[in-house]
């Protein structure tokens, strides 16, 4: 940060100070980002984890940075986590997907750490229009699940690898579900099956080597399927 023709306080732009013609308050600057413990910079989420040393340290009692009052809760699940933890930071991550998915409600974000999980990613609760439940692979790294079941509505799923299911890989039964940047391959059922799921969006996914690519059944009107790769699915798309 450069400020020409003004005198800057020794604490710099990361301090809280005011001069005659300029003021800096509640900023996160420089190498403090290494210790801030942002939610997930890999997904451009710069909210703070619950145990960030900066949480609640802003003037006025909120968080410094762009999210003084954070909207939505943030949860984590990791193969090295513990289900008795709060799940609200990397260090306090849940261990199982079932535990993590069971606490989700509208506006929440779940980050799934890198690893191979043996249980399905199953979400039965719903978000709200404009305030969805977000499921993301943490750091955009490889989080592998055998299947995804979305019975709730207003859910966004980003960046997962879904492989090895003996049935359908991704089953969507709720409305307004978005599937983005996922790799769905090597499953014995459909890559994606929507059952009376209105307004499904499938974007930038690779869906390959499944029994079928994508199946839209019942009243699955309003589906948008764009910018995907469908390859080597036995029964076509």
């Amino acid at each position: 940060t450069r400020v020409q023709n003004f005198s800057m306080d020794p604490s710099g732009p990361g301090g809280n100070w005011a001069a005659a013609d300029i003021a800096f308050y509640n900023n996160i600057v420089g190498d403090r980002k290494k210790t801030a413990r942002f939610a997930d910079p890999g997904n451009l989420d710069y909210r703070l984890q619950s145990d960030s040393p900066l949480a609640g340290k802003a003037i006025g009692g909120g968080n410094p940075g762009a999210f003084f009052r954070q909207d939505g809760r943030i949860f984590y699940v990791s193969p090295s986590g513990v289900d008795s933890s709060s799940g609200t930071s990397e260090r306090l991550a849940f261990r199982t997907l079932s535990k993590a998915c069971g606490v989700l409600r509208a506006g929440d974000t779940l980050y799934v750490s890198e690893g191979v999980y043996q249980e399905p990613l199953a979400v039965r609760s719903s978000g709200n229009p404009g305030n969805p439940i977000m499921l993301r692979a943490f750091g955009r790294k490889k989080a592998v699940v055998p299947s995804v079941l979305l019975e709730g509505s207003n859910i966004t799923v980003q960046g997962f690898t879904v492989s090895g299911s003996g049935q359908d890989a991704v089953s969507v039964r709720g409305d307004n579900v978005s599937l983005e940047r996922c790799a769905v391959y090597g499953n014995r059922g459909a890559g994606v099956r929507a059952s009376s799921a209105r307004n499904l969006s499938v974007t930038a996914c690779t869906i390959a080597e499944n029994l079928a690519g994508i199946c839209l059944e019942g009243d699955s009107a309003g589906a948008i399927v764009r910018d995907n790769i469908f390859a080597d699915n036995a029964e076509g798309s």
Side-chain angles (χ1 to χ4, degrees), residues 144-196:
V144 183
V145 296
S147 61
V148 176
L149 172 61
L150 306 173
E151 294 187 339
S153 298
N154 299 292
I155 300 171
T156 298
V157 180
Q158 297 178 334
F160 288 88
T161 297
V162 189
S163 183
S165 174
Q167 302 178 24
D168 295 331
V170 180
S171 299
V172 182
R173 299 173 187 171
D175 298 336
N176 305 310
V177 168
S178 294
L179 189 69
E180 304 169 1
R181 304 192 315 271
C182 292
V184 184
Y185 64 89
N187 301 285
R188 295 183 181 178
V192 179
R193 186 181 300 275
S195 302
S196 296

mmCIF file of all heavy atoms in Angstrom, residues 144-196:
data_model
loop_
_atom_site.group_PDB
_atom_site.id
_atom_site.type_symbol
_atom_site.label_atom_id
_atom_site.label_comp_id
_atom_site.label_asym_id
_atom_site.label_seq_id
_atom_site.Cartn_x
_atom_site.Cartn_y
_atom_site.Cartn_z
ATOM 1 N N VAL A 144 -12.826 -36.877 -2.905
ATOM 2 C CA VAL A 144 -13.492 -37.960 -3.634
ATOM 3 C C VAL A 144 -14.584 -38.566 -2.763
ATOM 4 O O VAL A 144 -14.333 -38.970 -1.620
ATOM 5 C CB VAL A 144 -12.484 -39.055 -4.039
ATOM 6 C CG1 VAL A 144 -13.168 -40.145 -4.858
ATOM 7 C CG2 VAL A 144 -11.318 -38.445 -4.818
ATOM 8 N N VAL A 145 -15.790 -38.633 -3.306
ATOM 9 C CA VAL A 145 -16.910 -39.276 -2.604
ATOM 10 C C VAL A 145 -17.522 -40.318 -3.539
ATOM 11 O O VAL A 145 -17.457 -40.183 -4.767
ATOM 12 C CB VAL A 145 -17.970 -38.253 -2.166
ATOM 13 C CG1 VAL A 145 -17.389 -37.280 -1.161
ATOM 14 C CG2 VAL A 145 -18.551 -37.505 -3.354
ATOM 15 N N PRO A 146 -18.127 -41.395 -2.986
ATOM 16 C CA PRO A 146 -18.693 -42.429 -3.847
ATOM 17 C C PRO A 146 -20.000 -42.018 -4.501
ATOM 18 O O PRO A 146 -20.362 -42.547 -5.557
ATOM 19 C CB PRO A 146 -18.890 -43.606 -2.894
ATOM 20 C CG PRO A 146 -19.078 -42.967 -1.554
ATOM 21 C CD PRO A 146 -18.193 -41.755 -1.565
ATOM 22 N N SER A 147 -20.727 -41.088 -3.875
ATOM 23 C CA SER A 147 -21.997 -40.649 -4.445
ATOM 24 C C SER A 147 -22.438 -39.359 -3.764
ATOM 25 O O SER A 147 -21.946 -39.006 -2.682
ATOM 26 C CB SER A 147 -23.078 -41.723 -4.290
ATOM 27 O OG SER A 147 -23.318 -42.003 -2.923
ATOM 28 N N VAL A 148 -23.356 -38.673 -4.425
ATOM 29 C CA VAL A 148 -23.928 -37.439 -3.888
ATOM 30 C C VAL A 148 -25.441 -37.563 -3.956
ATOM 31 O O VAL A 148 -25.999 -37.890 -5.013
ATOM 32 C CB VAL A 148 -23.460 -36.209 -4.691
ATOM 33 C CG1 VAL A 148 -24.138 -34.945 -4.176
ATOM 34 C CG2 VAL A 148 -21.944 -36.066 -4.625
ATOM 35 N N LEU A 149 -26.116 -37.300 -2.845
ATOM 36 C CA LEU A 149 -27.570 -37.332 -2.785
ATOM 37 C C LEU A 149 -28.058 -35.987 -2.282
ATOM 38 O O LEU A 149 -27.732 -35.577 -1.166
ATOM 39 C CB LEU A 149 -28.053 -38.446 -1.853
ATOM 40 C CG LEU A 149 -29.557 -38.484 -1.553
ATOM 41 C CD1 LEU A 149 -30.362 -38.696 -2.833
ATOM 42 C CD2 LEU A 149 -29.874 -39.556 -0.519
ATOM 43 N N LEU A 150 -28.844 -35.291 -3.110
ATOM 44 C CA LEU A 150 -29.334 -33.962 -2.769
ATOM 45 C C LEU A 150 -30.859 -33.999 -2.759
ATOM 46 O O LEU A 150 -31.503 -33.906 -3.803
ATOM 47 C CB LEU A 150 -28.814 -32.935 -3.774
ATOM 48 C CG LEU A 150 -27.284 -32.915 -3.949
ATOM 49 C CD1 LEU A 150 -26.892 -31.990 -5.078
ATOM 50 C CD2 LEU A 150 -26.597 -32.525 -2.646
ATOM 51 N N GLU A 151 -31.415 -34.156 -1.572
ATOM 52 C CA GLU A 151 -32.862 -34.193 -1.434
ATOM 53 C C GLU A 151 -33.433 -32.811 -1.137
ATOM 54 O O GLU A 151 -34.613 -32.571 -1.345
ATOM 55 C CB GLU A 151 -33.257 -35.179 -0.333
ATOM 56 C CG GLU A 151 -32.917 -36.620 -0.676
ATOM 57 C CD GLU A 151 -33.460 -37.608 0.342
ATOM 58 O OE1 GLU A 151 -33.739 -37.186 1.492
ATOM 59 O OE2 GLU A 151 -33.606 -38.794 0.001
ATOM 60 N N GLY A 152 -32.615 -31.906 -0.633
ATOM 61 C CA GLY A 152 -33.049 -30.545 -0.358
ATOM 62 C C GLY A 152 -32.967 -29.676 -1.595
ATOM 63 O O GLY A 152 -32.444 -30.066 -2.640
ATOM 64 N N SER A 153 -33.488 -28.470 -1.482
ATOM 65 C CA SER A 153 -33.482 -27.497 -2.573
ATOM 66 C C SER A 153 -32.505 -26.363 -2.265
ATOM 67 O O SER A 153 -32.053 -26.199 -1.136
ATOM 68 C CB SER A 153 -34.892 -26.922 -2.770
ATOM 69 O OG SER A 153 -35.806 -27.932 -3.135
ATOM 70 N N ASN A 154 -32.168 -25.610 -3.316
ATOM 71 C CA ASN A 154 -31.258 -24.461 -3.182
ATOM 72 C C ASN A 154 -29.925 -24.884 -2.573
ATOM 73 O O ASN A 154 -29.516 -24.435 -1.504
ATOM 74 C CB ASN A 154 -31.913 -23.364 -2.342
ATOM 75 C CG ASN A 154 -33.190 -22.835 -2.971
ATOM 76 O OD1 ASN A 154 -33.157 -22.193 -4.019
ATOM 77 N ND2 ASN A 154 -34.326 -23.136 -2.359
ATOM 78 N N ILE A 155 -29.251 -25.792 -3.286
ATOM 79 C CA ILE A 155 -27.952 -26.328 -2.881
ATOM 80 C C ILE A 155 -26.981 -26.158 -4.042
ATOM 81 O O ILE A 155 -27.328 -26.430 -5.196
ATOM 82 C CB ILE A 155 -28.050 -27.817 -2.500
ATOM 83 C CG1 ILE A 155 -29.026 -28.031 -1.346
ATOM 84 C CG2 ILE A 155 -26.681 -28.377 -2.140
ATOM 85 C CD1 ILE A 155 -29.336 -29.488 -1.056
ATOM 86 N N THR A 156 -25.762 -25.727 -3.740
ATOM 87 C CA THR A 156 -24.706 -25.610 -4.745
ATOM 88 C C THR A 156 -23.556 -26.526 -4.368
ATOM 89 O O THR A 156 -23.073 -26.500 -3.231
ATOM 90 C CB THR A 156 -24.203 -24.164 -4.843
ATOM 91 O OG1 THR A 156 -25.277 -23.313 -5.263
ATOM 92 C CG2 THR A 156 -23.067 -24.052 -5.850
ATOM 93 N N VAL A 157 -23.113 -27.353 -5.318
ATOM 94 C CA VAL A 157 -22.043 -28.328 -5.106
ATOM 95 C C VAL A 157 -20.902 -27.994 -6.059
ATOM 96 O O VAL A 157 -21.099 -27.944 -7.270
ATOM 97 C CB VAL A 157 -22.549 -29.763 -5.357
ATOM 98 C CG1 VAL A 157 -21.435 -30.774 -5.142
ATOM 99 C CG2 VAL A 157 -23.738 -30.084 -4.453
ATOM 100 N N GLN A 158 -19.697 -27.794 -5.519
ATOM 101 C CA GLN A 158 -18.579 -27.335 -6.336
ATOM 102 C C GLN A 158 -17.321 -28.161 -6.105
ATOM 103 O O GLN A 158 -16.878 -28.336 -4.967
ATOM 104 C CB GLN A 158 -18.258 -25.868 -6.026
ATOM 105 C CG GLN A 158 -19.375 -24.894 -6.361
ATOM 106 C CD GLN A 158 -19.031 -23.467 -5.996
ATOM 107 O OE1 GLN A 158 -18.221 -23.219 -5.105
ATOM 108 N NE2 GLN A 158 -19.647 -22.508 -6.674
ATOM 109 N N GLY A 159 -16.752 -28.678 -7.194
ATOM 110 C CA GLY A 159 -15.388 -29.165 -7.187
ATOM 111 C C GLY A 159 -15.144 -30.573 -6.694
ATOM 112 O O GLY A 159 -13.997 -30.940 -6.437
ATOM 113 N N PHE A 160 -16.172 -31.415 -6.591
ATOM 114 C CA PHE A 160 -15.978 -32.767 -6.070
ATOM 115 C C PHE A 160 -15.662 -33.763 -7.177
ATOM 116 O O PHE A 160 -16.029 -33.574 -8.346
ATOM 117 C CB PHE A 160 -17.231 -33.231 -5.323
ATOM 118 C CG PHE A 160 -17.427 -32.528 -4.006
ATOM 119 C CD1 PHE A 160 -18.130 -31.339 -3.937
ATOM 120 C CD2 PHE A 160 -16.881 -33.054 -2.844
ATOM 121 C CE1 PHE A 160 -18.298 -30.683 -2.737
ATOM 122 C CE2 PHE A 160 -17.046 -32.404 -1.632
ATOM 123 C CZ PHE A 160 -17.757 -31.212 -1.581
ATOM 124 N N THR A 161 -15.007 -34.847 -6.796
ATOM 125 C CA THR A 161 -14.850 -36.015 -7.645
ATOM 126 C C THR A 161 -15.789 -37.090 -7.119
ATOM 127 O O THR A 161 -15.753 -37.413 -5.922
ATOM 128 C CB THR A 161 -13.403 -36.532 -7.628
ATOM 129 O OG1 THR A 161 -12.540 -35.527 -8.171
ATOM 130 C CG2 THR A 161 -13.271 -37.811 -8.442
ATOM 131 N N VAL A 162 -16.641 -37.610 -7.997
ATOM 132 C CA VAL A 162 -17.615 -38.630 -7.608
ATOM 133 C C VAL A 162 -17.326 -39.873 -8.433
ATOM 134 O O VAL A 162 -17.498 -39.872 -9.665
ATOM 135 C CB VAL A 162 -19.062 -38.148 -7.837
ATOM 136 C CG1 VAL A 162 -20.046 -39.138 -7.215
ATOM 137 C CG2 VAL A 162 -19.273 -36.751 -7.259
ATOM 138 N N SER A 163 -16.872 -40.928 -7.785
ATOM 139 C CA SER A 163 -16.404 -42.098 -8.531
ATOM 140 C C SER A 163 -16.592 -43.369 -7.726
ATOM 141 O O SER A 163 -16.474 -43.370 -6.490
ATOM 142 C CB SER A 163 -14.917 -41.925 -8.884
ATOM 143 O OG SER A 163 -14.448 -42.995 -9.655
ATOM 144 N N GLY A 164 -16.891 -44.462 -8.445
ATOM 145 C CA GLY A 164 -16.950 -45.776 -7.814
ATOM 146 C C GLY A 164 -18.300 -46.187 -7.296
ATOM 147 O O GLY A 164 -18.415 -47.203 -6.600
ATOM 148 N N SER A 165 -19.358 -45.450 -7.624
ATOM 149 C CA SER A 165 -20.680 -45.823 -7.147
ATOM 150 C C SER A 165 -21.216 -47.007 -7.930
ATOM 151 O O SER A 165 -21.073 -47.094 -9.148
ATOM 152 C CB SER A 165 -21.655 -44.644 -7.285
ATOM 153 O OG SER A 165 -22.968 -45.038 -6.948
ATOM 154 N N GLY A 166 -21.872 -47.922 -7.225
ATOM 155 C CA GLY A 166 -22.537 -49.024 -7.888
ATOM 156 C C GLY A 166 -23.889 -48.634 -8.441
ATOM 157 O O GLY A 166 -24.539 -49.434 -9.122
ATOM 158 N N GLN A 167 -24.324 -47.409 -8.150
ATOM 159 C CA GLN A 167 -25.601 -46.919 -8.638
ATOM 160 C C GLN A 167 -25.387 -45.553 -9.279
ATOM 161 O O GLN A 167 -24.321 -45.305 -9.844
ATOM 162 C CB GLN A 167 -26.591 -46.852 -7.467
ATOM 163 C CG GLN A 167 -26.792 -48.201 -6.767
ATOM 164 C CD GLN A 167 -27.727 -48.103 -5.580
ATOM 165 O OE1 GLN A 167 -28.565 -47.227 -5.476
ATOM 166 N NE2 GLN A 167 -27.564 -49.031 -4.641
ATOM 167 N N ASP A 168 -26.384 -44.683 -9.231
ATOM 168 C CA ASP A 168 -26.214 -43.334 -9.765
ATOM 169 C C ASP A 168 -25.191 -42.580 -8.923
ATOM 170 O O ASP A 168 -25.143 -42.706 -7.689
ATOM 171 C CB ASP A 168 -27.542 -42.584 -9.752
ATOM 172 C CG ASP A 168 -28.569 -43.204 -10.689
ATOM 173 O OD1 ASP A 168 -28.158 -43.813 -11.700
ATOM 174 O OD2 ASP A 168 -29.776 -43.088 -10.409
ATOM 175 N N ALA A 169 -24.389 -41.769 -9.594
ATOM 176 C CA ALA A 169 -23.350 -41.022 -8.888
ATOM 177 C C ALA A 169 -23.925 -39.813 -8.164
ATOM 178 O O ALA A 169 -23.724 -39.632 -6.967
ATOM 179 C CB ALA A 169 -22.270 -40.586 -9.863
ATOM 180 N N VAL A 170 -24.656 -38.966 -8.878
ATOM 181 C CA VAL A 170 -25.260 -37.768 -8.301
ATOM 182 C C VAL A 170 -26.768 -37.869 -8.483
ATOM 183 O O VAL A 170 -27.260 -37.891 -9.618
ATOM 184 C CB VAL A 170 -24.729 -36.481 -8.955
ATOM 185 C CG1 VAL A 170 -25.380 -35.252 -8.324
ATOM 186 C CG2 VAL A 170 -23.209 -36.406 -8.841
ATOM 187 N N SER A 171 -27.506 -37.934 -7.393
ATOM 188 C CA SER A 171 -28.969 -38.015 -7.423
ATOM 189 C C SER A 171 -29.534 -36.706 -6.895
ATOM 190 O O SER A 171 -29.239 -36.305 -5.762
ATOM 191 C CB SER A 171 -29.467 -39.175 -6.564
ATOM 192 O OG SER A 171 -28.969 -40.416 -7.044
ATOM 193 N N VAL A 172 -30.333 -36.041 -7.711
ATOM 194 C CA VAL A 172 -30.894 -34.740 -7.340
ATOM 195 C C VAL A 172 -32.410 -34.869 -7.266
ATOM 196 O O VAL A 172 -33.056 -35.253 -8.244
ATOM 197 C CB VAL A 172 -30.503 -33.656 -8.363
ATOM 198 C CG1 VAL A 172 -31.059 -32.304 -7.931
ATOM 199 C CG2 VAL A 172 -28.990 -33.589 -8.526
ATOM 200 N N ARG A 173 -32.959 -34.526 -6.110
ATOM 201 C CA ARG A 173 -34.407 -34.611 -5.919
ATOM 202 C C ARG A 173 -35.014 -33.275 -5.480
ATOM 203 O O ARG A 173 -36.230 -33.170 -5.350
ATOM 204 C CB ARG A 173 -34.727 -35.689 -4.884
ATOM 205 C CG ARG A 173 -34.231 -37.078 -5.329
ATOM 206 C CD ARG A 173 -34.379 -38.121 -4.239
ATOM 207 N NE ARG A 173 -33.756 -39.381 -4.646
ATOM 208 C CZ ARG A 173 -33.567 -40.417 -3.836
ATOM 209 N NH1 ARG A 173 -33.967 -40.344 -2.568
ATOM 210 N NH2 ARG A 173 -32.988 -41.524 -4.284
ATOM 211 N N GLY A 174 -34.179 -32.288 -5.235
ATOM 212 C CA GLY A 174 -34.660 -30.967 -4.845
ATOM 213 C C GLY A 174 -34.563 -29.988 -5.989
ATOM 214 O O GLY A 174 -33.904 -30.238 -7.010
ATOM 215 N N ASP A 175 -35.202 -28.849 -5.838
ATOM 216 C CA ASP A 175 -35.211 -27.810 -6.865
ATOM 217 C C ASP A 175 -34.037 -26.839 -6.675
ATOM 218 O O ASP A 175 -33.483 -26.710 -5.583
ATOM 219 C CB ASP A 175 -36.517 -27.017 -6.801
ATOM 220 C CG ASP A 175 -37.741 -27.885 -7.074
ATOM 221 O OD1 ASP A 175 -37.582 -28.936 -7.729
ATOM 222 O OD2 ASP A 175 -38.838 -27.506 -6.622
ATOM 223 N N ASN A 176 -33.681 -26.171 -7.773
ATOM 224 C CA ASN A 176 -32.671 -25.102 -7.734
ATOM 225 C C ASN A 176 -31.324 -25.598 -7.193
ATOM 226 O O ASN A 176 -30.712 -24.981 -6.318
ATOM 227 C CB ASN A 176 -33.166 -23.923 -6.889
ATOM 228 C CG ASN A 176 -34.498 -23.392 -7.363
ATOM 229 O OD1 ASN A 176 -34.687 -23.132 -8.542
ATOM 230 N ND2 ASN A 176 -35.446 -23.256 -6.441
ATOM 231 N N VAL A 177 -30.895 -26.723 -7.730
ATOM 232 C CA VAL A 177 -29.601 -27.305 -7.367
ATOM 233 C C VAL A 177 -28.597 -26.997 -8.471
ATOM 234 O O VAL A 177 -28.908 -27.107 -9.659
ATOM 235 C CB VAL A 177 -29.717 -28.825 -7.159
ATOM 236 C CG1 VAL A 177 -28.347 -29.476 -7.083
ATOM 237 C CG2 VAL A 177 -30.519 -29.121 -5.897
ATOM 238 N N SER A 178 -27.372 -26.612 -8.074
ATOM 239 C CA SER A 178 -26.298 -26.339 -9.027
ATOM 240 C C SER A 178 -25.133 -27.284 -8.779
ATOM 241 O O SER A 178 -24.696 -27.462 -7.637
ATOM 242 C CB SER A 178 -25.810 -24.891 -8.896
ATOM 243 O OG SER A 178 -26.815 -23.978 -9.267
ATOM 244 N N LEU A 179 -24.644 -27.877 -9.852
ATOM 245 C CA LEU A 179 -23.474 -28.760 -9.817
ATOM 246 C C LEU A 179 -22.413 -28.118 -10.698
ATOM 247 O O LEU A 179 -22.625 -27.935 -11.894
ATOM 248 C CB LEU A 179 -23.852 -30.150 -10.334
ATOM 249 C CG LEU A 179 -22.826 -31.268 -10.180
ATOM 250 C CD1 LEU A 179 -22.657 -31.634 -8.720
ATOM 251 C CD2 LEU A 179 -23.244 -32.486 -10.999
ATOM 252 N N GLU A 180 -21.255 -27.758 -10.103
ATOM 253 C CA GLU A 180 -20.251 -26.983 -10.812
ATOM 254 C C GLU A 180 -18.857 -27.585 -10.635
ATOM 255 O O GLU A 180 -18.480 -27.998 -9.541
ATOM 256 C CB GLU A 180 -20.230 -25.540 -10.290
ATOM 257 C CG GLU A 180 -21.582 -24.832 -10.372
ATOM 258 C CD GLU A 180 -21.618 -23.523 -9.616
ATOM 259 O OE1 GLU A 180 -20.587 -23.130 -9.035
ATOM 260 O OE2 GLU A 180 -22.687 -22.875 -9.597
ATOM 261 N N ARG A 181 -18.099 -27.658 -11.719
ATOM 262 C CA ARG A 181 -16.692 -28.055 -11.708
ATOM 263 C C ARG A 181 -16.462 -29.401 -11.034
ATOM 264 O O ARG A 181 -15.472 -29.604 -10.329
ATOM 265 C CB ARG A 181 -15.820 -26.993 -11.023
ATOM 266 C CG ARG A 181 -15.918 -25.602 -11.586
ATOM 267 C CD ARG A 181 -14.814 -24.688 -11.046
ATOM 268 N NE ARG A 181 -14.632 -24.826 -9.620
ATOM 269 C CZ ARG A 181 -15.286 -24.115 -8.702
ATOM 270 N NH1 ARG A 181 -16.165 -23.204 -9.070
ATOM 271 N NH2 ARG A 181 -15.056 -24.299 -7.414
ATOM 272 N N CYS A 182 -17.365 -30.342 -11.240
ATOM 273 C CA CYS A 182 -17.219 -31.674 -10.658
ATOM 274 C C CYS A 182 -16.745 -32.675 -11.709
ATOM 275 O O CYS A 182 -17.028 -32.512 -12.893
ATOM 276 C CB CYS A 182 -18.537 -32.143 -10.051
ATOM 277 S SG CYS A 182 -19.031 -31.213 -8.584
ATOM 278 N N ALA A 183 -16.034 -33.702 -11.260
ATOM 279 C CA ALA A 183 -15.620 -34.814 -12.118
ATOM 280 C C ALA A 183 -16.401 -36.042 -11.675
ATOM 281 O O ALA A 183 -16.283 -36.483 -10.527
ATOM 282 C CB ALA A 183 -14.126 -35.063 -11.998
ATOM 283 N N VAL A 184 -17.213 -36.574 -12.577
ATOM 284 C CA VAL A 184 -18.095 -37.693 -12.257
ATOM 285 C C VAL A 184 -17.780 -38.818 -13.234
ATOM 286 O O VAL A 184 -18.082 -38.724 -14.424
ATOM 287 C CB VAL A 184 -19.578 -37.275 -12.368
ATOM 288 C CG1 VAL A 184 -20.491 -38.417 -11.948
ATOM 289 C CG2 VAL A 184 -19.854 -36.030 -11.520
ATOM 290 N N TYR A 185 -17.148 -39.869 -12.757
ATOM 291 C CA TYR A 185 -16.705 -40.905 -13.689
ATOM 292 C C TYR A 185 -16.656 -42.280 -13.021
ATOM 293 O O TYR A 185 -16.548 -42.410 -11.809
ATOM 294 C CB TYR A 185 -15.311 -40.565 -14.247
ATOM 295 C CG TYR A 185 -14.205 -40.545 -13.217
ATOM 296 C CD1 TYR A 185 -13.488 -41.706 -12.918
ATOM 297 C CD2 TYR A 185 -13.871 -39.383 -12.546
ATOM 298 C CE1 TYR A 185 -12.480 -41.703 -11.977
ATOM 299 C CE2 TYR A 185 -12.857 -39.364 -11.603
ATOM 300 C CZ TYR A 185 -12.162 -40.533 -11.326
ATOM 301 O OH TYR A 185 -11.160 -40.525 -10.372
ATOM 302 N N GLY A 186 -16.758 -43.306 -13.867
ATOM 303 C CA GLY A 186 -16.579 -44.678 -13.410
ATOM 304 C C GLY A 186 -17.659 -45.169 -12.479
ATOM 305 O O GLY A 186 -17.367 -45.917 -11.527
ATOM 306 N N ASN A 187 -18.914 -44.788 -12.749
ATOM 307 C CA ASN A 187 -20.033 -45.216 -11.908
ATOM 308 C C ASN A 187 -20.971 -46.124 -12.701
ATOM 309 O O ASN A 187 -21.112 -45.985 -13.916
ATOM 310 C CB ASN A 187 -20.786 -43.989 -11.397
ATOM 311 C CG ASN A 187 -19.884 -43.073 -10.593
ATOM 312 O OD1 ASN A 187 -19.545 -43.355 -9.445
ATOM 313 N ND2 ASN A 187 -19.465 -41.957 -11.192
ATOM 314 N N ARG A 188 -21.638 -47.050 -12.006
ATOM 315 C CA ARG A 188 -22.459 -48.051 -12.689
ATOM 316 C C ARG A 188 -23.869 -47.570 -12.999
ATOM 317 O O ARG A 188 -24.636 -48.281 -13.652
ATOM 318 C CB ARG A 188 -22.503 -49.328 -11.851
ATOM 319 C CG ARG A 188 -21.142 -50.007 -11.718
ATOM 320 C CD ARG A 188 -21.245 -51.305 -10.933
ATOM 321 N NE ARG A 188 -19.947 -51.947 -10.790
ATOM 322 C CZ ARG A 188 -19.729 -53.063 -10.126
ATOM 323 N NH1 ARG A 188 -20.763 -53.678 -9.524
ATOM 324 N NH2 ARG A 188 -18.524 -53.584 -10.031
ATOM 325 N N GLY A 189 -24.215 -46.408 -12.536
ATOM 326 C CA GLY A 189 -25.487 -45.791 -12.881
ATOM 327 C C GLY A 189 -25.250 -44.521 -13.665
ATOM 328 O O GLY A 189 -24.199 -44.333 -14.292
ATOM 329 N N ALA A 190 -26.214 -43.623 -13.634
ATOM 330 C CA ALA A 190 -26.073 -42.347 -14.326
ATOM 331 C C ALA A 190 -25.051 -41.462 -13.611
ATOM 332 O O ALA A 190 -24.903 -41.509 -12.387
ATOM 333 C CB ALA A 190 -27.423 -41.642 -14.381
ATOM 334 N N GLY A 191 -24.357 -40.650 -14.384
ATOM 335 C CA GLY A 191 -23.487 -39.664 -13.766
ATOM 336 C C GLY A 191 -24.291 -38.687 -12.928
ATOM 337 O O GLY A 191 -23.956 -38.403 -11.779
ATOM 338 N N VAL A 192 -25.381 -38.174 -13.524
ATOM 339 C CA VAL A 192 -26.311 -37.282 -12.817
ATOM 340 C C VAL A 192 -27.724 -37.721 -13.151
ATOM 341 O O VAL A 192 -28.066 -37.868 -14.326
ATOM 342 C CB VAL A 192 -26.118 -35.806 -13.228
ATOM 343 C CG1 VAL A 192 -27.113 -34.913 -12.498
ATOM 344 C CG2 VAL A 192 -24.685 -35.349 -12.967
ATOM 345 N N ARG A 193 -28.551 -37.933 -12.133
ATOM 346 C CA ARG A 193 -29.956 -38.256 -12.348
ATOM 347 C C ARG A 193 -30.810 -37.268 -11.546
ATOM 348 O O ARG A 193 -30.701 -37.191 -10.324
ATOM 349 C CB ARG A 193 -30.286 -39.684 -11.922
ATOM 350 C CG ARG A 193 -31.744 -40.089 -12.276
ATOM 351 C CD ARG A 193 -32.045 -41.512 -11.823
ATOM 352 N NE ARG A 193 -31.165 -42.494 -12.434
ATOM 353 C CZ ARG A 193 -31.364 -43.051 -13.623
ATOM 354 N NH1 ARG A 193 -32.436 -42.705 -14.346
ATOM 355 N NH2 ARG A 193 -30.513 -43.947 -14.098
ATOM 356 N N ALA A 194 -31.645 -36.512 -12.256
ATOM 357 C CA ALA A 194 -32.567 -35.581 -11.624
ATOM 358 C C ALA A 194 -33.970 -36.167 -11.674
ATOM 359 O O ALA A 194 -34.459 -36.526 -12.748
ATOM 360 C CB ALA A 194 -32.525 -34.238 -12.338
ATOM 361 N N SER A 195 -34.602 -36.278 -10.513
ATOM 362 C CA SER A 195 -35.941 -36.852 -10.421
ATOM 363 C C SER A 195 -36.913 -35.768 -9.952
ATOM 364 O O SER A 195 -36.920 -35.398 -8.775
ATOM 365 C CB SER A 195 -35.944 -38.021 -9.440
ATOM 366 O OG SER A 195 -35.014 -39.027 -9.842
ATOM 367 N N SER A 196 -37.688 -35.245 -10.908
ATOM 368 C CA SER A 196 -38.622 -34.141 -10.616
ATOM 369 C C SER A 196 -37.912 -33.026 -9.852
ATOM 370 O O SER A 196 -38.401 -32.510 -8.845
ATOM 371 C CB SER A 196 -39.833 -34.648 -9.832
ATOM 372 O OG SER A 196 -40.568 -35.570 -10.619
#
